[in-house]
Amino acid sequence: MPLIDRDDCALVIIDVQTDFYPPQRLDVDRQRFQDMVGRIAWITSVADRLEIPVVVTEEDPAASGHTVPEIRETLPAEAVTLPKNAFAVWDNPDIATAIEATGRTTTILVGIETDICVAHSAIQLHHAGKRVVVVDDAAYSPGPAHERGLRRLAGRGIETLSTKELFYDWMRTIEAADAFHDTHADLTLPPGVRL
């Protein structure tokens, strides 16, 4: 596969909601979850500055709350946030329509949970003919479910990469990366990312 063309990308943020993991969920590594949130917020900020369209999903928001503030505050004004009832984003007609409306054929997926909603979304989008890329350090499931989800994606031939790799695919050159950093010095790097 060629490098990722930022002018052909849409970013889809899946179900990173305030009450998705209530306090009684003892299997959730809260630090890993917060680190993922920080990386998604940073990717979203970069996407906004590069004019990459963003679609946000919320699974059962009445029970799981809305998108966490750290991400919500970074969303571009044109971002679309939609409720999600089927696990795969593509199986929700309104979300599929919003993704199609971007006019982009490469879908960048981040969010939760790696083994279910992210995996189902990636598989269905791939089956529909989209190029699908899952940002593996900007996705999360508790315990071994994260790695199982990534293995399932690999078995289906779906691309995975890191936040750092995505940024450099979007930039392509030292000059472009340096210019981005100079122009957007307000963007603090998220946890675990070294550029």
Side-chain angles (χ1 to χ4, degrees), residues 21 25 27-28 49 65 72 78-79 85 87 90 100 106 108 114 117 133 135-136 139 147 169 188 194:
Y21 293 127
R25 283 289 301 269
D27 60 332
V28 176
R49 286 156 173 82
R72 203 169 51 239
E78 303 80 18
N85 297 309
F87 297 125
W90 195 248
E100 285 287 85
T106 300
I108 308 296
T114 314
C117 294
V133 180
V135 185
D136 57 17
E147 291 302 325
D169 269 30
T188 304
R194 302 287 176 266

Side-chain angles (χ1 to χ4, degrees), residues 13 15-18 21 30-44 67-72 74 110-112 137-140 190-191:
I13 303 170
D15 305 344
V16 188
Q17 295 161 251
T18 54
Y21 293 127
R30 301 291 169 176
Q31 187 60 57
R32 282 189 61 206
F33 178 78
Q34 279 308 124
D35 289 350
M36 177 211 66
V37 167
R39 286 188 282 273
I40 293 174
W42 186 80
I43 290 168
T44 305
T67 303
V68 297
E70 300 95 320
I71 294 171
R72 203 169 51 239
T74 65
V110 297
I112 58 178
D137 62 352
Y140 178 78

